Amino acid sequence: MSERAVSSCMITVCRGFEPGRCRFSLVEGGLSSADVDAAVAATGWDDFVKSRARGPLMQHDAFKVALTGCANGCSRPHIMDVGLIRAERPGAADDACTACGLCIRQCPEGALAPVGNDSSCPATMCARPAGTPVLDAASCVSCGRCLRRCPEHALPVVAAGWRIVVGGRLGRRPRLATELPGIFDDATALVILDRAARWFMRDHRPGLRFADIVAKSPGGLSALVEGV
């Protein structure tokens, strides 16, 4: 398979960024591919990588970023240098909840379960009516489906923004990207993107991918979110 010259920053965007194209999309304004391109360009990445390349830039030279409108990840964020995944995390159901169970049935991850009358009921929820949804935060991927399904709007949004994954790749040593802890607003996501590109430039070596750098220096991940 032959390669052709590419841009120094390759941005993949799912169709959820086009109005009306995806029913699962959580995109309502916010970051665009132009914002991402400008943030990477501001680091000086384009001049840097062109000065290191042996001839025209090829796909393996580019800094790869994915923007995806929901947890389905159609733009393949987990195999990119940086992936931004739109997210909305629900909180505990409020008093408007009628325990109808629609949100529980809607969740593909099984992250919502009804309050029961047994000893496993969380202490903060035991006084709630049977059937009230309880969130398993470890299983929730912040896809927002439960929030949109609730007819009473009883599930509050406690965090909205971007999940961010870094250091993914395909090739001969494939690696799934590592997720940073938290959900980040637009401005913070751009700060993290800036730091990731600068980290890549600082530790760049011929033939070395950003995924290799992340894998060899996992402590560097904490620097991406320090102080944000």
Side-chain angles (χ1 to χ4, degrees), residues 17-227:
F17 283 76
E18 302 173 32
R21 289 293 307 280
C22 178
R23 64 192 177 97
F24 299 121
S25 176
L26 302 177
V27 177
E28 296 176 0
L31 296 181
S32 67
S33 59
D35 297 318
V36 169
D37 191 50
V40 175
T43 67
W45 167 256
D46 186 69
D47 289 339
F48 172 85
V49 72
K50 286 178 178 176
S51 71
R52 298 293 188 95
R54 300 169 182 173
L57 293 182
M58 299 300 173
Q59 190 173 54
H60 59 271
D61 296 312
F63 189 66
K64 301 176 183 68
V65 182
L67 283 167
T68 192
C70 74
N72 286 343
C74 293
S75 57
R76 304 183 297 172
H78 288 88
I79 58 171
M80 301 294 179
D81 294 317
V82 178
L84 279 69
I85 305 166
R86 195 67 188 173
E88 290 183 357
R89 180 166 287 261
D94 61 29
D95 291 339
C97 176
T98 62
C100 68
L102 287 175
C103 60
I104 294 171
R105 294 193 293 274
Q106 184 69 19
C107 180
E109 314 305 321
L112 289 168
V115 167
N117 297 316
D118 55 44
S119 59
S120 66
C121 173
T124 56
M125 297 294 293
C126 284
R128 303 300 300 276
T132 301
V134 179
L135 179 69
D136 175 9
S139 299
C140 178
V141 296
S142 303
C143 70
R145 291 193 194 182
C146 58
L147 297 165
R148 283 159 169 68
R149 189 66 184 89
C150 178
E152 309 300 331
H153 306 290
L155 291 170
V157 179
V158 296
W162 303 94
R163 292 168 51 205
I164 299 179
V165 296
V166 297
R169 62 168 292 168
L170 287 179
R172 65 192 303 161
R173 295 187 303 277
R175 180 184 190 275
L176 289 179
T178 301
E179 182 160 358
L180 302 177
I183 293 177
F184 306 95
D185 62 24
D186 290 353
T188 304
L190 291 178
V191 169
I192 292 171
L193 183 63
D194 175 278
R195 291 177 178 180
R198 293 182 189 278
W199 182 14
F200 194 9
M201 288 190 287
R202 186 188 69 223
D203 293 353
H204 188 277
R205 300 289 184 278
L208 199 66
R209 301 280 291 275
F210 187 50
D212 301 321
I213 294 171
V214 172
K216 292 177 181 178
S217 305
L221 293 172
S222 60
L224 295 180
V225 296
E226 183 177 355

